[in-house]
Amino acid sequence: MSETRTTASATVAATPAPGPRVGLASAIAAVAAGQLGRVRVARGPLLVVATVQSLGLVILLRGIVHHHDSRTASAIVAGSAVLVVAFVSLNLLAQRLGALRATTALDYYAALPIPPAAVVLGTAAAYGLFTLPGAVVTASVGAAVYGLPFGQIWLVVPVVLASALVLAGTGAILGLSMPRPELATIAGQLGMTVVLFLGIITPARLPDAVQALRDIVPGTLAVDALAEAFRVHPHWGGVIIRLLITVGYGAVTLAVASRLFRRAVDR
Amino acid sequence: MSGGLAFEVRGLSKSYRRATQPANRDIDLDVPAGEIFGLLGPNGAGKTTLVRQLVGLVKPDAGSVRLFGHDLVAERSLAARLVAYLAQDEPALAELPVRQAIETTARLRGVARPASTGAATGLMEELGLTTVADRPLVKLSGGQRRLACVASALAADRDVLILDEPTTGLDPVARRSVWSALRRRREERGTTIVLVTHNVLEAETVLDRVAVLDHGAVIACDTPGRLKAAVDDSVRIELVWRHEPPRDDSTVDLLARVATIDGRRWSARIEREQSRGILDRLTRGPLVDSLDDFTVTTPSLEDVYLALGGTDDDLERG
């Protein structure tokens, strides 16, 4: 090897002032803004697709639910509203991160002075915000179709935020852990299907074994919390506990996803 | 230049699972601060793996990378605060409008929102992107898209730039604007620049020093001038034959044994002394009628690469 070393450069240069560390909140905001800018064109059609699917379910199932069965009706409406979140936050995020993982795209974020969690949280936040209008429309139309009380419909907002956290975390785990983008897409769609079935069917109608499974499926506790909103006298203690568990579950999934992000870069 | 080292690489090795050969083998490199340093080599030579380790994205299997004296394995986050990295492709930015891609990158490097807007405007003017500011990268031509990615990499004025093939796909005008932007940063701010390229012209005109990589190892590292001087006793003869060359001629036969043959285009590196006789026979005798074109050039980095044992010929010459 014909290497010539400059003897004058044997010393180390003084370290220049490093750029600032970007705080978690600022990084999340910047990532989320970028994500929202990215889907600017596709936002409308995607939201329509996500919402129409849930509205279709609400309307189709109306024909098989007895008029006085408000428990089943509220489960259907709540499950359909959370399905909008699952469609975008779980399914689309799994697809997106699976596609990014298959290219060098994660290098872009990994080479920036931001916490890895900011990438997952920022993307999840953008996708979560994106679902809010569709979930509100589904819950409102559902309540009207089934004759459920509207009084506590505001609960859809914290339910969407909490379920977006856990479903986006799950979507990110699926997207970042699958070896190929096609598998990430399939996993995202399967995940959404599980949320759909276990969300809209009331727990009492499920076999015991599946009931236990239902409780660990991300988002189902948020569905139950929203279903309370359609009762005349909601059990607020239960709502708060379910939402807190959902948020805690979401924090765990996002922590796992952040770790997977680091591992995906260091491939 | 400040004189001290920005990067100090020692014994760096990296292998990927299922790969038959290591991506990097026992690499030693010094990059002084303020230098424009190049990594030249064909596809698969290990250039990208090396720069991903310089940015702290990949942990080496063995050896160390020091950035301004700091071990990047132990202080991984420091690279993100000192280095701006442009990957070979930036799909993360693909669907963003140009302005937003630059602004987002600046904000993610810690620039406040109003300043990031100003930075984006300045960079778009500098690189001639103003007319496409609001178009998503994915809707631009390949060259414009690459230029927008370079602009994003330049956001936030980092002291070290690591750019993986920044000018691939650019037209000559855009390529020169990138080279000017890089030189300006080095002159005005003392920016250290590591440039991955497989473009010989870029390596010869822009770089202060260049490391030539082949099969994961550095096979030479010096200034382009000194590397070329090492093979200065030769010239390159490029021939384009009008028809099938007359192989029964002894001169043609001699050339055929040393030339790289691409159809009717022959390229041969020949000892300077020997070249006189060959040129004389090619241009004065009947052989001249068989030639469409011929050129004689002094050594380039491509010759250096070939002389050092490089075997692949996918270096870009334009």
Side-chain angles (χ1 to χ4, degrees):
Chain A
M1 181 175 128
S2 67
E3 167 128 24
T4 305
R5 289 235 168 82
T6 315
T7 49
S9 65
T11 54
V12 172
T15 309
R21 284 180 206 279
V22 182
L24 185 64
S26 307
I28 290 171
V31 172
Q35 288 298 323
L36 288 171
R38 189 182 74 80
V39 294
R40 190 175 52 169
V41 179
R43 206 182 307 173
L46 268 177
L47 194 53
V48 167
V49 170
T51 311
V52 161
Q53 175 180 253
S54 290
L55 286 175
L57 268 174
V58 164
I59 293 163
L60 281 173
L61 293 176
R62 180 68 191 93
I64 59 166
V65 176
H66 192 276
H67 279 286
H68 301 295
D69 189 357
S70 61
R71 188 168 287 271
T72 302
S74 57
I76 289 170
V77 176
S80 301
V82 172
L83 180 63
V84 180
V85 185
F87 180 87
V88 178
S89 295
L90 194 156
N91 175 33
L92 294 186
L93 189 61
Q95 282 184 39
R96 169 74 178 155
L97 288 175
L100 290 182
R101 185 179 182 273
T103 64
T104 56
L106 295 182
D107 280 4
Y108 169 78
Y109 292 110
L112 294 166
I114 56 174
V119 180
V120 176
L121 280 168
T123 312
Y127 279 58
L129 282 174
F130 183 45
T131 62
L132 194 56
V136 170
V137 167
T138 303
S140 306
V141 171
V145 168
Y146 288 88
L148 298 169
F150 273 89
Q152 320 299 338
I153 199 88
W154 57 267
L155 196 58
V156 75
V157 176
V159 163
V160 165
L161 296 177
S163 58
L165 203 65
V166 72
L167 291 169
T170 309
I173 289 172
L174 295 175
L176 291 168
S177 60
M178 292 293 143
R180 295 211 315 269
E182 301 84 1
L183 293 176
T185 301
I186 292 168
Q189 287 175 349
L190 282 176
M192 182 183 69
T193 307
V194 170
V195 173
L196 161 66
F197 285 119
L198 296 184
I200 64 170
I201 300 172
T202 49
R205 295 191 178 200
L206 292 169
D208 289 347
V210 182
Q211 272 189 40
L213 177 70
R214 184 184 186 277
D215 287 342
I216 58 165
V217 169
T220 49
L221 289 178
V223 171
D224 295 345
L226 183 57
E228 283 290 326
F230 301 119
R231 307 242 163 90
V232 180
H233 301 294
H235 181 256
W236 290 112
V239 169
I240 290 167
I241 287 170
R242 285 183 180 115
L243 286 180
L244 285 176
I245 293 172
T246 304
V247 169
Y249 197 177
V252 171
T253 58
L254 288 167
V256 173
S258 302
R259 204 173 170 77
L260 287 171
F261 172 83
R262 191 67 254 181
R263 209 179 68 180
V265 171
D266 195 4
R267 61 191 187 276
Chain B
M1 286 189 213
S2 68
L5 293 181
F7 279 108
E8 192 179 356
V9 178
R10 293 290 176 271
L12 201 70
S13 295
K14 179 72 187 175
S15 294
Y16 293 113
R17 274 178 295 168
R18 299 192 198 100
T20 52
Q21 289 187 327
N24 285 154
R25 286 185 291 137
D26 199 25
I27 290 177
D28 289 342
L29 283 177
D30 287 341
V31 180
E35 186 169 77
I36 303 184
F37 184 85
L39 297 169
L40 175 72
N43 294 327
K47 307 184 296 288
T48 295
T49 299
L50 175 56
V51 295
R52 290 185 82 234
Q53 291 171 98
L54 296 184
V55 188
L57 292 174
V58 177
K59 275 188 199 162
D61 295 339
S64 65
V65 179
R66 290 188 168 275
L67 174 59
F68 296 107
H70 302 270
D71 183 356
L72 278 192
V73 173
E75 297 178 74
R76 198 170 188 168
S77 64
L78 187 70
R81 296 168 63 202
L82 285 169
V83 180
Y85 172 55
L86 172 69
Q88 257 179 43
D89 192 11
E90 289 291 21
L93 299 174
E95 287 146 294
L96 289 179
V98 174
R99 180 188 299 279
Q100 196 178 359
I102 303 170
E103 279 180 17
T104 300
T105 307
R107 285 183 65 196
L108 289 170
R109 289 195 180 127
V111 178
R113 190 194 289 261
S116 70
T117 306
T121 304
L123 282 164
M124 287 189 297
E125 283 171 7
E126 184 178 12
L127 293 174
L129 289 163
T130 313
T131 53
V132 294
D134 297 316
R135 292 183 62 191
L137 268 69
V138 76
K139 299 238 170 108
L140 302 178
S141 69
Q144 285 176 322
R145 189 159 59 237
R146 194 62 186 150
L147 206 52
C149 291
V150 171
S152 293
L154 298 180
D157 289 329
R158 285 291 195 249
D159 287 290
V160 180
L161 298 173
I162 297 186
L163 311 173
D164 197 344
E165 300 186 11
T167 55
T168 298
L170 297 189
D171 63 48
V173 175
R175 191 176 291 183
R176 274 195 288 275
S177 74
V178 171
W179 292 346
S180 302
L182 298 182
R183 284 202 196 95
R184 198 173 302 123
R185 276 156 185 78
R186 192 263 290 274
E187 283 157 19
E188 292 174 3
R189 298 177 42 86
T191 307
T192 307
I193 300 166
V194 177
L195 199 71
V196 175
T197 182
H198 58 173
N199 183 304
V200 173
L201 178 65
E202 183 164 77
E204 291 189 347
T205 54
V206 180
L207 305 178
D208 296 322
R209 284 196 315 138
V210 58
V212 184
L213 270 82
D214 190 48
H215 292 98
V218 174
I219 57 174
C221 181
D222 212 325
T223 63
R226 272 188 286 202
L227 285 175
K228 287 192 287 185
V231 290
D232 203 23
D233 60 340
S234 66
V235 293
R236 171 176 291 280
I237 299 179
E238 305 267 358
L239 304 172
V240 182
W241 298 99
R242 188 163 293 163
H243 311 290
E244 192 58 33
R247 300 272 187 145
D248 53 344
D249 183 277
S250 61
T251 306
V252 176
D253 182 52
L254 174 71
L255 280 169
R257 278 186 260 137
V258 294
T260 304
I261 298 174
D262 180 13
R264 286 189 290 121
R265 182 179 293 275
W266 290 20
S267 176
R269 196 168 63 83
I270 295 169
E271 298 294 313
R272 194 177 288 267
E273 199 58 42
Q274 191 186 15
S275 70
R276 291 199 181 93
I278 290 175
L279 284 169
D280 193 52
R281 288 194 292 278
L282 280 173
T283 54
R284 289 176 191 269
L287 280 175
V288 74
D289 295 330
S290 308
L291 287 169
D292 241 358
D293 193 12
F294 76 90
T295 53
V296 182
T297 54
T298 52
S300 67
L301 280 179
E302 183 183 358
D303 298 302
V304 172
Y305 172 75
L306 294 172
L308 288 165
T311 50
D312 208 326
D313 67 347
D314 66 352
L315 292 173
E316 197 180 293
R317 292 159 189 88

